[in-house]
Amino acid sequence: MAWIKRGLITLVVLFVLFAGIIAWFLSGLDANQYKPKIVQLAADQGIALTLDGDIGWQIWPNIALKLEGVKLAPLALPSESLLEADKVAVGVALMPLLDKRIEAQEIVLLGPQVALTVDKNGKGNWELITDAMEAKAAQDAKTQRETPPTLDVPKEKEATAGGLELALEQLRLEDGVLRYTDKQTGTEYAVSKLRVTADNLVPGGKPGDVRVTAELAGSDLPEPIQLDIHSSLAIDKGLNGLRLQPANIKLTGADGATAEVNLRGNVRRPKADAPWQIQLNLKVDVDPIAGWLASVGSDYKAQSSSALQSLTIESDISGTDKQMSLQPLELSLDGHKFNGSASYQAGDIPSVSLRLKGGELNVDDYLPPPAATPEQSELSADMAAAQPVPLPLESMRGFNAKLDLTLEKLHALDFEIDQPQLAVNVNNGLYQLNKLAAGLYGGNLNSTGVFNARGNTARGELSGGLSGVEISKVQEALFASDEPEAADQKKVTLSGKTDLTWVAQTSGADTLALQKNLRAAVQLNAKELALAPFNLEKGMCQLVSYAEKTPLPEREWPAQTRLQDLRTSVNLNGDVAKVEGINAGIENIALSGDGTVNLEQQNFDFALGLALVGEKTSGNGCSVQNSRWRNRPLPLRCKAKFDEAGATTCKPDSRRLDDLIRDELKYQAEKKYGDKVEKKTEELKDKLKDRFKGLFNRGD
């Protein structure tokens, strides 16, 4: 065993001797000779570089250049450091050192701190450096243009001087901190516990391994978010390409919420001045979405507990750094699948587009739980006190966009919508609704419009139609009631197939102006429409029975009125809608009239007339013996607040009833009393007038 002992002693002696030779060699190689050059090089780029200590040598565990107290700041404000590091070590290759060359193979940064700040004027402290670099580049280009050409004379090749080359095999960053402060918005963010390790970052070499971990915190983040990046990547020779094989980015929030992004592919350019070519496969998994909303400080809660649970995105990304497309694009939101494509194009006016086609989606599941319904008085007070909200006109300009969305079925705001289709184009503030189509309760919706936000005020136009829709379903969706059935049956309801057409326009710079300046014309037509809970034919027969002293037919009077061939037009002016030219048939009764609806005051007022055509109101209705009651409109007035409308809303109109009573009494008095007609008319007028007024308050 003696030979083993002698061999070990020999190796130790040789190692000590080798280390001594290297130490002696490095002592003669003064790394500080590069210090002024490095500082000047940084200054030329608008950067104030401070090296508090000397550039020294580190022997163990690797030979390395060692820098301590490194600070980086804008040249104009050298005291405001953007980056500080306790220690920077640059590992060098041994063999090039023998040739008086420094070849960097490893970089180690300990405790680096980066501080980025946006001042109250919106200018970032890093912009001082970028502005200086751009100014220098412009000055160099100008100098080159103005310098006359010279004759290049080949010089005798000189011996190679020592220099610094980069062939990075390892990168290590420990305990890094990045802080971002925005004094305009009062927000602060910090990336702390930053650790970066990278192996084999040699251009043209084999794929290397990169790992990044950090903790993200911010003024609007309740809890820190953990970041973990792991990638296998290769750098092309000449730094003209990057291959991801793959790259995994994972975020972990509070309560275990996770988000993972996986990228696989490459980013390349054929030469240094050519655009980057992108070919990547993207996959994103978020689980749960609700957890991430809580992680970023949002208290949003969806109606359904099954909503906002998972999101998956898969796509192939291709294009350049100026223009990219995502095709095919596959999205899955809580199991609801969508397919389509997306694209982005950079420029002075950037452009985005999105095309999606999906199955069934219940939007109500994703809306917040409904708030308690306020009393009508509270609602009116809230509407009166509502302040106008300015339109974000500036934000609505400066970009182009295209949206094309098609679904098989959509449930939204209690509406059941079949095959909805939406096509919207945006051109620098001009919003064009090219198509809004859907099947709605047995009917079809089609609409187009335009909204111009390019000026100081916006202007909008909308036109379209709704054909064959079951109006009762629309009313049920718009005015859903939670009241008991007995109370609900007393409310006014409509049912039947209805056709609507509309043309509308408005303008304004805020929401209140848009409402006040709204002008619209609506045309309504219905072959047959049922109006409940009152029966207008019964009211007509009550009038006839009183007038002719005949009994009311004994039959079952349904609690509704069937209107045939209803036609009317509505003109909307701000908060007031004028309903004109109401015409409809009720068996052998002709209905006519007009009215107003005041949206601000939440009430309506209609003046109607019922006129009998023929001898009977209907096949099993009441008979009219006196021909003078035929073709004479019975004056009705329907007036109430929205929340007070019911079966007794429509009553004889006392304003017009006086004239009707006076004419009839005068006719009867002339027949019976001749010249004494005036006296008898006044005696009977008050007596019969009371009968007419109480006519529609009877239950028989």
Side-chain angles (χ1 to χ4, degrees):
M1 300 295 292
W3 65 272
I4 296 178
K5 182 177 180 180
R6 289 195 298 270
L8 290 175
I9 293 174
T10 302
L11 288 175
V12 171
V13 172
L14 289 175
F15 178 78
V16 172
L17 180 61
F18 183 68
I21 293 173
I22 293 175
W24 170 80
F25 175 78
L26 293 178
S27 65
L29 184 61
D30 185 10
N32 284 289
Q33 64 180 310
Y34 300 105
K35 186 175 179 179
K37 295 181 180 179
I38 295 173
V39 173
Q40 184 57 49
L41 181 62
D44 291 343
Q45 303 300 321
I47 302 172
L49 175 62
T50 302
L51 301 174
D52 289 339
D54 290 337
I55 302 177
W57 288 103
Q58 173 182 292
I59 306 299
W60 181 264
N62 298 309
I63 301 175
L65 284 170
K66 184 176 61 175
L67 297 85
E68 295 181 350
V70 179
K71 296 180 181 179
L72 238 158
L75 193 60
L77 296 170
S79 61
E80 297 187 11
S81 299
L82 271 71
L83 182 147
E84 295 184 6
D86 297 336
K87 177 182 177 182
V88 178
V90 181
V92 297
L94 176 60
M95 296 307 294
L97 280 177
L98 302 178
D99 196 29
K100 298 292 184 177
R101 290 186 299 109
I102 301 176
E103 186 175 301
Q105 289 184 317
E106 179 184 16
I107 296 179
V108 177
L109 288 88
L110 300 181
Q113 298 188 32
V114 179
L116 303 178
T117 304
V118 176
D119 61 23
K120 294 182 178 180
N121 297 321
K123 189 174 183 65
N125 58 351
W126 65 90
E127 293 183 49
L128 296 173
I129 293 178
T130 57
D131 291 348
M133 294 175 67
E134 291 175 0
K136 183 180 183 302
Q139 182 61 39
D140 290 345
K142 180 181 179 182
T143 302
Q144 186 176 4
R145 289 194 305 268
E146 295 176 351
T147 301
T150 59
L151 180 62
D152 293 333
V153 179
K155 295 182 180 180
E156 188 174 320
K157 190 172 182 180
E158 298 178 356
T160 304
L164 179 64
E165 297 181 4
L166 183 66
L168 188 60
E169 294 183 357
Q170 287 188 326
L171 169 66
R172 185 163 62 92
L173 187 152
E174 297 286 350
D175 199 23
V177 177
L178 170 62
R179 290 186 176 86
Y180 174 83
T181 304
D182 191 332
K183 295 182 179 180
Q184 270 194 325
T185 61
T187 55
E188 293 184 9
Y189 296 94
V191 179
S192 59
K193 301 179 182 178
L194 178 61
R195 184 175 186 272
V196 180
T197 60
D199 297 325
N200 196 26
L201 298 182
V202 180
K206 295 179 180 180
D209 187 77
V210 177
R211 193 70 182 254
V212 180
T213 59
E215 184 176 276
L216 313 179
S219 54
D220 52 1
L221 298 178
E223 298 290 339
I225 296 173
Q226 305 302 317
L227 170 67
D228 190 342
I229 301 175
H230 186 204
S231 176
S232 174
L233 60 84
I235 303 174
D236 289 354
K237 199 168 184 178
L239 302 177
N240 287 326
L242 180 68
R243 288 169 286 155
L244 304 175
Q245 302 174 335
N248 176 267
I249 305 170
K250 184 177 181 179
L251 295 169
T252 305
D255 299 325
T258 61
E260 287 194 49
V261 179
N262 285 279
L263 290 167
R264 182 185 294 270
N266 60 78
V267 179
R268 285 194 174 99
R269 58 183 179 181
K271 53 184 180 178
D273 57 349
W276 290 98
Q277 302 291 327
I278 301 171
Q279 290 288 338
L280 294 172
N281 175 263
L282 168 71
K283 184 177 181 182
V284 179
D285 288 295
V286 181
D287 183 26
I289 305 172
W292 276 109
L293 291 176
S295 295
V296 297
S298 173
D299 58 356
Y300 187 89
K301 302 291 184 183
Q303 287 188 30
S304 174
S305 59
S306 61
L308 299 177
Q309 292 303 306
S310 64
L311 172 66
T312 301
I313 303 173
E314 291 189 52
S315 183
D316 290 332
I317 305 175
S318 61
T320 68
D321 53 344
K322 301 296 184 182
Q323 182 175 356
M324 287 185 289
S325 65
L326 284 75
Q327 187 173 6
L329 174 62
E330 298 179 2
L331 286 83
S332 178
L333 175 64
D334 298 326
H336 303 293
K337 296 187 180 299
F338 304 87
N339 298 287
S341 62
S343 66
Y344 169 78
Q345 183 171 345
D348 294 336
I349 301 180
S351 177
V352 295
S353 70
L354 177 64
R355 180 180 60 83
L356 288 177
K357 185 175 182 180
E360 185 173 344
L361 180 64
N362 189 334
V363 175
D364 290 347
D365 287 347
Y366 296 87
L367 297 178
T373 304
E375 296 293 334
Q376 184 63 34
S377 57
E378 297 177 358
L379 181 62
S380 300
D382 290 342
M383 293 179 64
Q387 297 297 316
V389 178
L391 298 179
L393 297 177
E394 190 68 30
S395 301
M396 296 175 71
R397 301 188 286 261
F399 66 92
N400 296 333
K402 184 177 182 180
L403 173 64
D404 194 342
L405 177 63
T406 302
L407 298 175
E408 292 181 4
K409 194 166 187 176
L410 178 66
H411 184 94
L413 302 176
D414 292 327
F415 279 92
E416 294 291 344
I417 305 172
D418 298 318
Q419 298 291 330
Q421 299 178 58
L422 176 66
V424 178
N425 277 356
V426 181
N427 185 1
N428 192 22
L430 183 64
Y431 292 71
Q432 292 178 301
L433 176 62
N434 294 329
K435 186 175 187 179
L436 175 60
L440 187 64
Y441 298 118
N444 294 298
L445 166 69
N446 283 282
S447 186
T448 59
V450 62
F451 190 83
N452 192 335
R454 291 177 173 175
N456 294 327
T457 60
R459 295 185 60 85
E461 297 179 3
L462 185 69
S463 62
L466 189 60
S467 61
V469 67
E470 175 52 58
I471 197 68
S472 63
K473 298 292 185 180
V474 177
Q475 184 182 23
E476 182 181 345
L478 288 174
F479 307 104
S481 175
D482 296 326
E483 295 184 9
E485 184 177 356
D488 199 45
Q489 287 178 346
K490 296 180 180 181
K491 290 190 173 183
V492 179
T493 60
L494 295 170
S495 61
K497 298 284 186 179
T498 306
D499 295 338
L500 290 169
T501 59
W502 59 81
V503 176
Q505 63 180 21
T506 187
S507 62
D510 56 59
T511 53
L512 182 60
L514 291 179
Q515 179 184 341
K516 294 297 183 182
N517 295 331
L518 178 60
R519 304 290 182 268
V522 181
Q523 194 72 34
L524 184 147
N525 296 279
K527 281 290 184 183
E528 187 170 298
L529 199 66
L531 180 65
F534 41 81
N535 190 302
L536 294 180
E537 183 186 3
K538 178 183 178 182
M540 184 71 177
C541 289
Q542 287 176 325
L543 173 64
V544 172
S545 70
Y546 273 96
E548 297 191 339
K549 296 181 172 54
T550 56
L552 188 70
E554 295 183 2
R555 52 165 289 194
E556 186 72 23
W557 296 97
Q560 67 174 8
T561 298
R562 290 196 170 275
L563 305 173
Q564 295 98 28
D565 296 323
L566 173 64
R567 299 183 306 278
T568 187
S569 60
V570 181
N571 291 310
L572 183 63
N573 188 342
D575 295 320
V576 179
K578 291 186 177 181
V579 185
E580 301 174 339
I582 302 175
N583 289 285
I586 309 170
E587 296 292 345
N588 293 331
I589 302 172
L591 170 68
S592 60
D594 52 37
T596 60
V597 179
N598 194 310
L599 301 176
E600 183 178 16
Q601 298 180 9
Q602 299 282 291
N603 61 32
F604 61 87
D605 188 356
F606 284 85
L608 305 176
L610 294 175
L612 178 64
V613 180
E615 296 183 357
K616 297 185 69 175
T617 57
S618 64
N620 58 349
C622 57
S623 299
V624 180
Q625 304 300 325
N626 188 344
S627 60
R628 285 184 53 78
W629 283 104
R630 300 170 193 168
N631 298 315
R632 297 186 67 181
L634 166 67
L636 295 178
R637 189 178 187 187
C638 303
K639 180 180 180 181
K641 289 185 173 296
F642 290 168
D643 61 330
E644 297 174 356
T648 60
T649 296
C650 296
K651 299 178 181 180
D653 188 351
S654 59
R655 299 174 302 174
R656 296 181 293 162
L657 193 57
D658 285 343
D659 295 335
L660 181 64
I661 294 174
R662 184 180 296 107
D663 290 345
E664 185 59 28
L665 292 178
K666 184 177 181 180
Y667 171 76
Q668 293 182 12
E670 285 178 347
K671 287 180 61 178
K672 187 172 182 178
Y673 299 105
D675 295 339
K676 300 178 181 180
V677 62
E678 295 294 338
K679 181 179 179 181
K680 293 297 181 180
T681 297
E682 294 299 327
E683 293 176 0
L684 296 174
K685 178 179 177 181
D686 294 335
K687 181 178 179 180
L688 291 180
K689 183 176 180 180
D690 292 338
R691 290 187 180 182
F692 280 108
K693 283 187 175 181
L695 182 62
F696 283 87
N697 293 326
R698 292 174 58 90
D700 55 348

